[in-house]
Amino acid sequence: MFKKSRILLLALAALVMASCGDMASKLGGMKTDSPDVLEKAKELVKANFDPAQWKVVSVDWSEGAGQDELTGEVASVRFYMIDKDGKAWQQSFHPSLGWKASDLDDTSFAEGDKYDDPKEYPALELDKLDAAKYTKIIEDAKALIPKGYTYKSMESFEMNTFDKSPMELVFNVVEEGKETVTNAGKTSTVYYQLRYSVSDDGKVKFEGAI
């Protein structure tokens, strides 16, 4: 049995109404499962991280929480970097702020399972993942959704150089015929999250529900 999550339809309706106006232009209409966000990540790397000073080792993007759940709208693109002294950093960019960078955060991130020392992490070669490969990964993952469930949005995508599985994605899905539940006059969408890993050669594996 998958773990249930719920979101009020009222919040989704409010988001859809807002997206007809300024919200759509504010967020840029960029979806987590669109190659557009991949190209934006490449632009951000080139514009913000001098390879002589920073070694980018991970990138991830995700949709927002609350009213942004199940919309697939990109809420942030986050990078993990290693500086010249081997210290780990992270920095995020938000479309709602015109892709303005957050402050650098020296909070260390989780250790990978390929290297003992962050200094050994290879630099991320984001250009090796193109739009066609990205789209194929997502479509291959959709093909592995268990029978009886329907894709709603991609919660997140991550690519790094320090794990045995260099890419990971999470889908939000709903059970067919049981998409909503009503209680005390309020209707909510019931959804589940599925995790996938991607090997170096692009093979997608369903890892199970979160």
Side-chain angles (χ1 to χ4, degrees):
M1 177 64 69
F2 296 157
K3 181 181 178 182
K4 291 183 179 179
S5 297
R6 296 183 181 181
I7 180 171
L8 285 175
L9 291 180
L10 180 62
L12 280 175
L15 179 65
V16 171
M17 291 175 65
S19 68
C20 294
D22 293 339
M23 186 64 75
S25 58
K26 190 176 182 182
L27 291 175
M30 195 170 292
K31 299 290 187 178
T32 53
D33 58 4
S34 167
D36 291 343
V37 66
L38 172 62
E39 296 309 312
K40 172 55 71 172
K42 293 177 182 179
E43 291 176 14
L44 292 171
V45 168
K46 292 176 182 177
N48 295 278
F49 302 109
D50 181 352
Q53 181 179 2
W54 300 104
K55 180 168 60 175
V56 176
V57 297
S58 176
V59 62
D60 63 75
W61 47 84
S62 60
E63 67 178 14
Q67 66 177 11
D68 290 335
E69 288 179 293
L70 304 186
T71 65
E73 293 282 356
V74 176
S76 66
V77 176
R78 177 177 57 179
F79 297 93
Y80 289 104
M81 310 86 68
I82 308 295
D83 66 18
K84 293 184 294 184
D85 297 321
K87 187 175 181 180
W89 300 81
Q90 61 175 293
Q91 190 167 39
S92 298
F93 298 79
H94 302 273
S96 61
L97 300 176
W99 295 109
K100 181 180 178 181
S102 67
D103 292 336
L104 280 169
D105 183 354
D106 64 353
T107 302
S108 61
F109 47 93
E111 293 183 0
D113 51 24
K114 290 175 67 176
Y115 305 94
D116 295 326
D117 187 341
K119 290 182 180 180
E120 299 175 354
Y121 294 176
L124 184 67
E125 296 180 290
L126 197 52
D127 284 334
K128 286 189 174 182
L129 182 62
D130 60 23
K133 291 178 181 177
Y134 183 66
T135 300
K136 186 177 187 304
I137 285 170
I138 293 170
E139 292 305 313
D140 288 350
K142 286 181 180 179
L144 297 175
I145 292 175
K147 185 177 180 180
Y149 292 84
T150 301
Y151 174 83
K152 290 294 291 185
S153 67
M154 186 162 77
E155 172 74 20
S156 61
F157 179 88
E158 178 184 358
M159 182 178 183
N160 68 61
T161 65
F162 46 81
D163 285 326
K164 291 179 180 178
S165 295
M167 288 175 275
E168 183 176 287
L169 53 156
V170 175
F171 280 173
N172 294 319
V173 301
V174 294
E175 188 174 4
E176 296 170 6
K178 300 180 180 179
E179 295 89 348
T180 62
V181 62
T182 301
N183 184 52
K186 294 182 179 181
T187 300
S188 303
T189 295
V190 180
Y191 68 98
Y192 307 86
Q193 294 190 321
L194 310 180
R195 185 171 66 89
Y196 301 82
S197 62
V198 186
S199 63
D200 285 313
D201 59 3
K203 185 175 181 180
V204 179
K205 179 181 178 182
F206 175 50
E207 298 289 353
I210 297 177

